[in-house]
Every structure is written in structure tokens, then in C-alpha cells.
mmCIF file of all heavy atoms in Angstrom:
data_model
loop_
_atom_site.group_PDB
_atom_site.id
_atom_site.type_symbol
_atom_site.label_atom_id
_atom_site.label_comp_id
_atom_site.label_asym_id
_atom_site.label_seq_id
_atom_site.Cartn_x
_atom_site.Cartn_y
_atom_site.Cartn_z
ATOM 1 N N ASN A 586 1.844 -10.308 -65.137
ATOM 2 C CA ASN A 586 1.923 -9.256 -64.098
ATOM 3 C C ASN A 586 1.197 -9.696 -62.816
ATOM 4 O O ASN A 586 0.990 -8.762 -62.025
ATOM 5 C CB ASN A 586 1.322 -8.071 -64.713
ATOM 6 C CG ASN A 586 2.174 -7.391 -65.811
ATOM 7 O OD1 ASN A 586 3.384 -7.642 -65.878
ATOM 8 N ND2 ASN A 586 1.570 -6.646 -66.743
ATOM 9 N N ILE A 587 0.872 -10.914 -62.667
ATOM 10 C CA ILE A 587 0.090 -11.339 -61.383
ATOM 11 C C ILE A 587 1.150 -12.107 -60.545
ATOM 12 O O ILE A 587 1.918 -12.904 -61.064
ATOM 13 C CB ILE A 587 -1.079 -12.193 -61.633
ATOM 14 C CG1 ILE A 587 -2.128 -11.441 -62.472
ATOM 15 C CG2 ILE A 587 -1.627 -12.762 -60.374
ATOM 16 C CD1 ILE A 587 -2.782 -10.349 -61.744
ATOM 17 N N ILE A 588 1.195 -11.808 -59.290
ATOM 18 C CA ILE A 588 2.116 -12.529 -58.402
ATOM 19 C C ILE A 588 1.227 -13.682 -57.833
ATOM 20 O O ILE A 588 0.247 -13.471 -57.147
ATOM 21 C CB ILE A 588 2.573 -11.702 -57.277
ATOM 22 C CG1 ILE A 588 3.468 -10.463 -57.725
ATOM 23 C CG2 ILE A 588 3.439 -12.452 -56.225
ATOM 24 C CD1 ILE A 588 3.851 -9.385 -56.779
ATOM 25 N N TYR A 589 1.608 -14.875 -58.149
ATOM 26 C CA TYR A 589 0.863 -16.061 -57.596
ATOM 27 C C TYR A 589 1.544 -16.576 -56.272
ATOM 28 O O TYR A 589 2.734 -16.712 -56.310
ATOM 29 C CB TYR A 589 0.992 -17.181 -58.591
ATOM 30 C CG TYR A 589 0.098 -16.892 -59.887
ATOM 31 C CD1 TYR A 589 0.569 -16.201 -60.987
ATOM 32 C CD2 TYR A 589 -1.219 -17.369 -60.064
ATOM 33 C CE1 TYR A 589 -0.116 -15.838 -62.066
ATOM 34 C CE2 TYR A 589 -1.981 -17.032 -61.232
ATOM 35 C CZ TYR A 589 -1.403 -16.318 -62.188
ATOM 36 O OH TYR A 589 -2.109 -16.057 -63.350
ATOM 37 N N MET A 590 0.658 -16.801 -55.352
ATOM 38 C CA MET A 590 1.271 -17.245 -54.000
ATOM 39 C C MET A 590 0.699 -18.651 -53.848
ATOM 40 O O MET A 590 -0.425 -18.862 -53.313
ATOM 41 C CB MET A 590 0.881 -16.401 -52.886
ATOM 42 C CG MET A 590 1.373 -14.904 -53.158
ATOM 43 S SD MET A 590 0.912 -13.840 -51.755
ATOM 44 C CE MET A 590 -0.876 -13.635 -51.960
ATOM 45 N N PRO A 591 1.467 -19.712 -54.197
ATOM 46 C CA PRO A 591 0.945 -21.174 -54.065
ATOM 47 C C PRO A 591 0.568 -21.498 -52.616
ATOM 48 O O PRO A 591 1.355 -21.213 -51.792
ATOM 49 C CB PRO A 591 2.128 -21.943 -54.523
ATOM 50 C CG PRO A 591 2.932 -21.022 -55.482
ATOM 51 C CD PRO A 591 2.748 -19.665 -54.843
ATOM 52 N N CYS A 592 -0.611 -22.117 -52.486
ATOM 53 C CA CYS A 592 -1.037 -22.649 -51.193
ATOM 54 C C CYS A 592 -1.090 -24.143 -51.433
ATOM 55 O O CYS A 592 -2.044 -24.639 -52.011
ATOM 56 C CB CYS A 592 -2.395 -22.063 -50.850
ATOM 57 S SG CYS A 592 -2.369 -20.283 -50.615
ATOM 58 N N THR A 593 -0.198 -24.874 -50.899
ATOM 59 C CA THR A 593 -0.120 -26.385 -51.166
ATOM 60 C C THR A 593 0.030 -27.099 -49.896
ATOM 61 O O THR A 593 0.272 -26.469 -48.822
ATOM 62 C CB THR A 593 1.130 -26.632 -51.994
ATOM 63 O OG1 THR A 593 2.335 -26.276 -51.216
ATOM 64 C CG2 THR A 593 1.192 -25.865 -53.344
ATOM 65 N N ALA A 594 -0.133 -28.426 -49.960
ATOM 66 C CA ALA A 594 -0.074 -29.246 -48.739
ATOM 67 C C ALA A 594 1.303 -28.976 -48.064
ATOM 68 O O ALA A 594 1.446 -29.149 -46.898
ATOM 69 C CB ALA A 594 -0.284 -30.682 -49.039
ATOM 70 N N GLU A 595 2.358 -28.802 -48.900
ATOM 71 C CA GLU A 595 3.719 -28.658 -48.376
ATOM 72 C C GLU A 595 3.967 -27.416 -47.529
ATOM 73 O O GLU A 595 4.662 -27.502 -46.576
ATOM 74 C CB GLU A 595 4.685 -28.711 -49.621
ATOM 75 C CG GLU A 595 4.950 -29.905 -50.306
ATOM 76 C CD GLU A 595 3.675 -30.362 -51.115
ATOM 77 O OE1 GLU A 595 2.920 -29.405 -51.628
ATOM 78 O OE2 GLU A 595 3.405 -31.558 -51.347
ATOM 79 N N ASN A 596 3.133 -26.379 -47.812
ATOM 80 C CA ASN A 596 3.269 -25.163 -46.902
ATOM 81 C C ASN A 596 2.110 -25.006 -46.009
ATOM 82 O O ASN A 596 1.780 -23.928 -45.543
ATOM 83 C CB ASN A 596 3.545 -23.927 -47.755
ATOM 84 C CG ASN A 596 2.544 -23.545 -48.736
ATOM 85 O OD1 ASN A 596 1.396 -24.087 -48.605
ATOM 86 N ND2 ASN A 596 2.731 -22.706 -49.672
ATOM 87 N N GLY A 597 1.266 -26.146 -45.836
ATOM 88 C CA GLY A 597 0.119 -26.014 -45.023
ATOM 89 C C GLY A 597 -0.974 -25.158 -45.626
ATOM 90 O O GLY A 597 -1.777 -24.661 -44.794
ATOM 91 N N PHE A 598 -0.994 -25.026 -46.886
ATOM 92 C CA PHE A 598 -1.987 -24.204 -47.576
ATOM 93 C C PHE A 598 -1.878 -22.747 -47.052
ATOM 94 O O PHE A 598 -2.947 -21.989 -47.183
ATOM 95 C CB PHE A 598 -3.367 -24.714 -47.531
ATOM 96 C CG PHE A 598 -3.381 -26.203 -48.122
ATOM 97 C CD1 PHE A 598 -3.551 -27.279 -47.251
ATOM 98 C CD2 PHE A 598 -3.505 -26.295 -49.415
ATOM 99 C CE1 PHE A 598 -3.717 -28.549 -47.740
ATOM 100 C CE2 PHE A 598 -3.562 -27.576 -49.961
ATOM 101 C CZ PHE A 598 -3.644 -28.756 -49.121
ATOM 102 N N MET A 599 -0.830 -22.246 -46.601
ATOM 103 C CA MET A 599 -0.676 -20.947 -46.093
ATOM 104 C C MET A 599 0.242 -20.182 -47.059
ATOM 105 O O MET A 599 1.330 -20.501 -47.288
ATOM 106 C CB MET A 599 -0.108 -20.910 -44.764
ATOM 107 C CG MET A 599 -0.164 -19.575 -44.032
ATOM 108 S SD MET A 599 -1.869 -18.899 -43.829
ATOM 109 C CE MET A 599 -2.735 -20.304 -43.074
ATOM 110 N N PRO A 600 -0.229 -19.036 -47.754
ATOM 111 C CA PRO A 600 0.733 -18.365 -48.658
ATOM 112 C C PRO A 600 1.943 -17.795 -48.057
ATOM 113 O O PRO A 600 1.824 -17.401 -46.879
ATOM 114 C CB PRO A 600 -0.227 -17.259 -49.173
ATOM 115 C CG PRO A 600 -1.255 -17.046 -48.089
ATOM 116 C CD PRO A 600 -1.465 -18.386 -47.544
ATOM 117 N N GLU A 601 2.933 -17.729 -48.689
ATOM 118 C CA GLU A 601 4.271 -17.182 -48.214
ATOM 119 C C GLU A 601 4.389 -15.710 -48.828
ATOM 120 O O GLU A 601 3.845 -15.419 -49.798
ATOM 121 C CB GLU A 601 5.364 -18.100 -48.728
ATOM 122 C CG GLU A 601 5.333 -19.403 -48.191
ATOM 123 C CD GLU A 601 6.420 -20.318 -48.692
ATOM 124 O OE1 GLU A 601 7.213 -19.896 -49.514
ATOM 125 O OE2 GLU A 601 6.460 -21.542 -48.326
ATOM 126 N N LEU A 602 5.116 -14.971 -48.112
ATOM 127 C CA LEU A 602 5.370 -13.557 -48.554
ATOM 128 C C LEU A 602 5.917 -13.491 -49.966
ATOM 129 O O LEU A 602 6.789 -14.282 -50.316
ATOM 130 C CB LEU A 602 6.215 -12.743 -47.625
ATOM 131 C CG LEU A 602 5.686 -12.546 -46.136
ATOM 132 C CD1 LEU A 602 6.765 -11.895 -45.309
ATOM 133 C CD2 LEU A 602 4.418 -11.721 -46.190
ATOM 134 N N PRO A 603 5.402 -12.623 -50.871
ATOM 135 C CA PRO A 603 5.979 -12.550 -52.162
ATOM 136 C C PRO A 603 7.447 -12.097 -52.119
ATOM 137 O O PRO A 603 7.897 -11.314 -51.244
ATOM 138 C CB PRO A 603 5.198 -11.363 -52.810
ATOM 139 C CG PRO A 603 3.949 -11.158 -51.897
ATOM 140 C CD PRO A 603 4.351 -11.628 -50.633
ATOM 141 N N LYS A 604 8.275 -12.551 -53.135
ATOM 142 C CA LYS A 604 9.589 -12.259 -53.178
ATOM 143 C C LYS A 604 9.761 -10.907 -53.888
ATOM 144 O O LYS A 604 10.804 -10.336 -53.757
ATOM 145 C CB LYS A 604 10.330 -13.365 -54.042
ATOM 146 C CG LYS A 604 10.418 -14.751 -53.308
ATOM 147 C CD LYS A 604 11.152 -15.734 -54.028
ATOM 148 C CE LYS A 604 11.372 -17.079 -53.211
ATOM 149 N NZ LYS A 604 10.096 -17.658 -52.753
ATOM 150 N N GLU A 605 8.829 -10.473 -54.630
ATOM 151 C CA GLU A 605 8.759 -9.143 -55.236
ATOM 152 C C GLU A 605 7.734 -8.376 -54.563
ATOM 153 O O GLU A 605 6.761 -8.952 -53.976
ATOM 154 C CB GLU A 605 8.600 -9.263 -56.732
ATOM 155 C CG GLU A 605 7.283 -9.851 -57.168
ATOM 156 C CD GLU A 605 7.127 -9.880 -58.642
ATOM 157 O OE1 GLU A 605 7.166 -8.802 -59.307
ATOM 158 O OE2 GLU A 605 6.951 -10.957 -59.154
ATOM 159 N N LYS A 606 7.878 -7.020 -54.667
ATOM 160 C CA LYS A 606 6.856 -6.110 -53.930
ATOM 161 C C LYS A 606 5.495 -6.177 -54.632
ATOM 162 O O LYS A 606 5.373 -6.180 -55.788
ATOM 163 C CB LYS A 606 7.392 -4.693 -54.039
ATOM 164 C CG LYS A 606 6.444 -3.737 -53.254
ATOM 165 C CD LYS A 606 6.960 -2.254 -53.409
ATOM 166 C CE LYS A 606 5.945 -1.299 -52.728
ATOM 167 N NZ LYS A 606 4.602 -1.305 -53.214
ATOM 168 N N ALA A 607 4.583 -6.448 -53.776
ATOM 169 C CA ALA A 607 3.213 -6.455 -54.216
ATOM 170 C C ALA A 607 2.459 -5.263 -53.704
ATOM 171 O O ALA A 607 2.605 -4.842 -52.472
ATOM 172 C CB ALA A 607 2.409 -7.763 -53.627
ATOM 173 N N ASP A 608 1.645 -4.503 -54.697
ATOM 174 C CA ASP A 608 0.969 -3.426 -54.262
ATOM 175 C C ASP A 608 -0.398 -3.697 -53.598
ATOM 176 O O ASP A 608 -0.765 -3.058 -52.596
ATOM 177 C CB ASP A 608 0.738 -2.577 -55.447
ATOM 178 C CG ASP A 608 2.082 -2.137 -56.141
ATOM 179 O OD1 ASP A 608 2.957 -1.474 -55.321
ATOM 180 O OD2 ASP A 608 2.245 -2.323 -57.256
ATOM 181 N N VAL A 609 -1.077 -4.605 -54.172
ATOM 182 C CA VAL A 609 -2.373 -5.053 -53.717
ATOM 183 C C VAL A 609 -2.364 -6.611 -53.401
ATOM 184 O O VAL A 609 -2.011 -7.424 -54.342
ATOM 185 C CB VAL A 609 -3.555 -4.730 -54.647
ATOM 186 C CG1 VAL A 609 -4.839 -5.204 -54.124
ATOM 187 C CG2 VAL A 609 -3.541 -3.213 -54.932
ATOM 188 N N ILE A 610 -2.773 -7.043 -52.232
ATOM 189 C CA ILE A 610 -2.675 -8.384 -51.878
ATOM 190 C C ILE A 610 -4.092 -8.879 -51.414
ATOM 191 O O ILE A 610 -4.728 -8.327 -50.566
ATOM 192 C CB ILE A 610 -1.736 -8.596 -50.640
ATOM 193 C CG1 ILE A 610 -0.338 -8.063 -50.980
ATOM 194 C CG2 ILE A 610 -1.657 -10.099 -50.244
ATOM 195 C CD1 ILE A 610 0.501 -7.832 -49.698
ATOM 196 N N TYR A 611 -4.538 -9.966 -52.053
ATOM 197 C CA TYR A 611 -5.874 -10.484 -51.752
ATOM 198 C C TYR A 611 -5.591 -11.651 -50.731
ATOM 199 O O TYR A 611 -4.865 -12.663 -51.013
ATOM 200 C CB TYR A 611 -6.535 -11.091 -53.015
ATOM 201 C CG TYR A 611 -7.099 -10.059 -53.968
ATOM 202 C CD1 TYR A 611 -6.261 -9.420 -54.780
ATOM 203 C CD2 TYR A 611 -8.499 -9.804 -53.986
ATOM 204 C CE1 TYR A 611 -6.792 -8.448 -55.656
ATOM 205 C CE2 TYR A 611 -9.004 -8.866 -54.846
ATOM 206 C CZ TYR A 611 -8.072 -8.146 -55.724
ATOM 207 O OH TYR A 611 -8.613 -7.161 -56.540
ATOM 208 N N LEU A 612 -6.290 -11.590 -49.637
ATOM 209 C CA LEU A 612 -6.276 -12.609 -48.689
ATOM 210 C C LEU A 612 -7.688 -13.054 -48.298
ATOM 211 O O LEU A 612 -8.586 -12.219 -48.193
ATOM 212 C CB LEU A 612 -5.468 -12.262 -47.376
ATOM 213 C CG LEU A 612 -4.010 -11.938 -47.534
ATOM 214 C CD1 LEU A 612 -3.444 -11.508 -46.173
ATOM 215 C CD2 LEU A 612 -3.251 -13.130 -48.078
ATOM 216 N N CYS A 613 -7.991 -14.279 -48.117
ATOM 217 C CA CYS A 613 -9.216 -14.828 -47.738
ATOM 218 C C CYS A 613 -9.133 -15.926 -46.739
ATOM 219 O O CYS A 613 -8.480 -16.898 -46.913
ATOM 220 C CB CYS A 613 -9.966 -15.405 -49.040
ATOM 221 S SG CYS A 613 -11.651 -16.074 -48.627
ATOM 222 N N PHE A 614 -9.705 -15.589 -45.506
ATOM 223 C CA PHE A 614 -9.686 -16.542 -44.394
ATOM 224 C C PHE A 614 -11.001 -16.486 -43.590
ATOM 225 O O PHE A 614 -11.380 -15.390 -43.253
ATOM 226 C CB PHE A 614 -8.406 -16.258 -43.388
ATOM 227 C CG PHE A 614 -7.071 -16.564 -44.152
ATOM 228 C CD1 PHE A 614 -6.280 -15.552 -44.408
ATOM 229 C CD2 PHE A 614 -6.648 -17.870 -44.385
ATOM 230 C CE1 PHE A 614 -5.040 -15.793 -45.090
ATOM 231 C CE2 PHE A 614 -5.442 -18.112 -44.961
ATOM 232 C CZ PHE A 614 -4.617 -16.995 -45.373
#
């Protein structure tokens, strides 16, 4: 039930928008 947003070298370690609706989104910058 957790939406994982991979942060990898390929995407510049920047999460992409979830493909399914997320109610609560954790961001740390």
C-alpha cells in the first residue's frame, strides 16, 4: 500500500509524479 518513487542516477535523483493518486506525499529537500 506504499507508493515508492525511485530516485536514481537515471532521473537525476528527482522523484517523478506517482502514476496512481497519492493522498500523502513525503518530500525532503
Side-chain angles (χ1 to χ4, degrees):
N586 290 337
I587 298 292
I588 300 172
Y589 293 82
M590 302 182 292
C592 298
T593 65
E595 288 70 30
N596 62 17
F598 299 107
M599 192 59 56
E601 299 173 2
L602 293 175
K604 292 181 173 59
E605 58 180 305
K606 182 183 180 300
D608 299 308
V609 180
I610 304 162
Y611 287 78
L612 295 178
C613 175
F614 292 107

